[in-house]
Amino acid sequence: MVLSSNDIEKILPHRYPFLLVDRIDELEPGVRARGVKCISANEMQFCGHFPGMHVMPGVLLIEALAQTGAVALLSEEENKGKVVLFGGIKNARFKKQVVPGDRVELFCEILERRGPVGIGKAEARVDGKLAVTAELTFAIADKT
């Protein structure tokens, strides 16, 4: 199942400039999602990170991975209309700088579920090379 940015906006509450997934290429609701983020020098973070040497902030790459996992979780029928919040980040590793012009492949697989809490294995790749890995904990909540 392929989701466009318009489809993703129907699932996630995020909007510009904080919607960090451009497309979902593969989706197995509640289990995994594979998405894409295309990095552009026109993005706001590059005004200050860093002038003359643009590098995508690691925290935004982690957020893009979390949004990919959130799409997987919120695509389940019982979670439609809910939100996914961070419960934790473990073992985050940054292996490669991500810069404007890169096409970041995002992957998150939900490995464990206990009630509204899920734990996922996430990774980001550029040109097939590992850029980021992390274990993310998700908390599914009702919108307030």
Side-chain angles (χ1 to χ4, degrees):
M1 172 184 290
V2 174
L3 301 178
S4 70
S5 59
N6 293 315
D7 297 325
I8 294 166
E9 284 188 352
K10 294 174 186 170
I11 299 169
L12 297 180
H14 304 78
R15 296 295 180 264
Y16 177 85
F18 222 70
L19 180 59
L20 299 174
V21 180
D22 295 328
R23 187 178 73 223
I24 295 292
D25 289 329
E26 296 176 26
L27 174 62
E28 187 175 345
V31 178
R32 65 183 179 84
R34 183 178 303 278
V36 173
K37 166 69 175 149
C38 297
I39 308 299
S40 169
N42 295 324
E43 295 177 53
M44 290 177 41
Q45 65 270 13
F46 296 123
C47 292
H49 199 272
F50 302 104
M53 186 184 149
H54 297 153
V55 177
M56 184 72 170
V59 68
L60 294 182
L61 291 167
I62 294 289
E63 176 65 24
L65 288 166
Q67 289 180 18
T68 303
V71 168
L73 291 168
L74 295 176
S75 294
E76 287 185 304
E77 194 60 41
E78 63 267 24
N79 293 329
K80 291 186 190 266
K82 296 183 179 185
V83 295
V84 172
L85 306 169
F86 260 129
I89 304 166
K90 289 172 64 175
N91 301 318
R93 298 289 181 263
F94 302 93
K95 310 274 188 180
K96 177 183 180 346
Q97 288 183 1
V98 175
V99 299
D102 284 345
R103 181 181 184 275
V104 183
E105 297 168 9
L106 306 162
F107 179 74
C108 187
E109 181 177 13
I110 308 303
L111 301 175
E112 192 175 330
R113 299 272 297 268
R114 288 191 206 119
V117 176
I119 297 173
K121 174 185 171 191
E123 65 179 40
R125 293 180 177 270
V126 175
D127 297 325
K129 295 180 182 150
L130 195 59
V132 180
T133 62
E135 181 181 294
L136 306 175
T137 302
F138 301 95
I140 301 168
D142 292 318
K143 288 183 183 177
T144 56

